[in-house]
Amino acid sequence: DLAANTSYYWRVKSNGTNGPSAYSQVRMFRTGNPPSMPTLSAPINNALVTTTTPLLDWSNSTVPAGTTFLYYNVQIAYDNTFTALFWDANVGNFSVTSSSINTPVIVNVGRTYYWRVRAFNTANEYSGWSAVRSFRLPYPAPVLTLPLDAATGVIRKPTFTWDAILGATSYNLQVSTSATFTGLLAINRTVSTPLYTHTLNLAANTTYYWRVRANGAYGPGFWQSPVFSFTTGP
C-alpha cells in the first residue's frame, strides 16, 4: 500500500529503439485515509471447525484522526480467488473494538471455505483486504440404515450399515447402552467400509444406541443426531 492521506505525482515516458520519449504531463492524486487492515486471528488457517456457524475473529482496526469507523466487510468463498462467494456481508453497528461474527448456517459441509476482511470508514474509504485464511467443515453425518431406528428383536451379533460419505477413508462406529455414549462402549470400532458385523454377542433384551462418523481430509465428521437405537432379542 502507498502511504495513507498523502499526495502523489506521476508521469510516464516510453522506451524503445527511438526512445526514451519525453515525459508525459504530470498528474496528481491523493490517497484516502482508511482504517487499518484487519489481521485474522481465529480460526487458525485450515482449521477443522466443529460447528456449521463458526466464529470468525480478527484484530481491531484503528481509525486515523479525523475519520470515523463504519463497518467491516467480510467475505467467505468457495475458492481462494473469491470468484464464487458464499457470503458477503457488511458487519455494521460495531465499534472498532468489536471484530468477530458468527457465519450463517453452512449446509454444504465436507469442504474448504476461504475468508477475508476489510474495514470501511464513513467517507467510504477502505483498507486493503486482510490475508486470506481457510477453514474446513467436517463431513456430514452418515445416514444410518440398519438396524432400523427403534428396531426390536435384533440379533445379538448385529450387522450395522450406513450410507457412504464421498471422500471418507474410514468410519468410527460406536454402540452404547447410554444415549449420551458415556461410560464403557459396547462397540467402538474404526472400519474402512460402511458395513460392520459384530462378532461377539451383545447383552440379551437390552436397548443399545449407535452412531457413526466419517474420517478423512474433512474428518472426523459430524455424528448422527439424533442417534439410532435398537433392542436385542433373547
Side-chain angles (χ1 to χ4, degrees):
D1 285 348
L2 298 175
N5 198 31
T6 302
S7 294
Y8 286 92
Y9 300 85
W10 67 290
R11 63 184 184 177
V12 179
K13 68 178 180 180
S14 58
N15 298 300
T17 302
N18 298 310
S21 71
Y23 274 107
S24 67
Q25 76 276 24
V26 175
R27 286 191 172 181
M28 185 271 284
F29 65 90
R30 188 169 184 84
T31 54
N33 200 21
S36 65
M37 181 188 300
T39 300
L40 308 187
S41 55
I44 63 172
N45 193 41
N46 200 38
L48 183 70
V49 300
T50 57
T51 172
T52 55
T53 57
L55 179 70
L56 305 181
D57 191 23
W58 55 92
S59 68
N60 304 331
S61 288
T62 57
V63 180
T67 67
T68 304
F69 179 81
L70 183 59
Y71 57 74
Y72 294 104
N73 179 211
V74 183
Q75 287 187 340
I76 304 174
Y78 298 104
D79 62 304
N80 60 8
T81 60
F82 292 83
T83 55
L85 290 176
F86 163 72
W87 193 51
D88 185 357
N90 294 333
V91 182
N93 300 319
F94 268 17
S95 69
V96 185
T97 57
S98 296
S99 51
S100 63
I101 190 71
N102 284 93
T103 72
V105 175
I106 302 175
V107 296
N108 192 0
V109 296
R111 65 175 302 160
T112 299
Y113 290 85
Y114 301 86
W115 68 290
R116 62 184 182 179
V117 180
R118 59 182 174 176
F120 280 74
N121 66 18
T122 52
N124 204 37
E125 297 170 331
Y126 49 90
S127 71
W129 286 109
S130 66
V132 175
R133 280 192 180 181
S134 65
F135 60 86
R136 293 172 294 139
L137 262 293
Y139 292 116
V143 176
L144 308 184
T145 52
L146 292 174
L148 296 174
D149 190 26
T152 58
V154 174
I155 62 173
R156 295 169 63 189
K157 294 180 181 178
T159 294
F160 299 89
T161 63
W162 55 91
D163 287 354
I165 297 296
L166 181 65
T169 56
S170 66
Y171 302 89
N172 296 132
L173 165 67
Q174 291 187 342
V175 181
S176 175
T177 55
S178 165
T180 59
F181 294 84
T182 56
L184 185 65
L185 297 175
I187 302 174
N188 188 19
R189 297 295 300 268
T190 299
V191 296
S192 58
T193 62
L195 180 149
Y196 172 74
T197 300
H198 198 44
T199 57
L200 300 174
N201 279 330
L202 297 175
N205 301 312
T206 301
T207 297
Y208 287 94
Y209 302 87
W210 69 290
R211 63 183 184 179
V212 178
R213 68 180 179 185
N215 300 307
Y218 297 97
F222 292 109
W223 292 108
Q224 172 75 15
S225 180
V227 298
F228 273 22
S229 68
F230 65 89
T231 302
T232 54

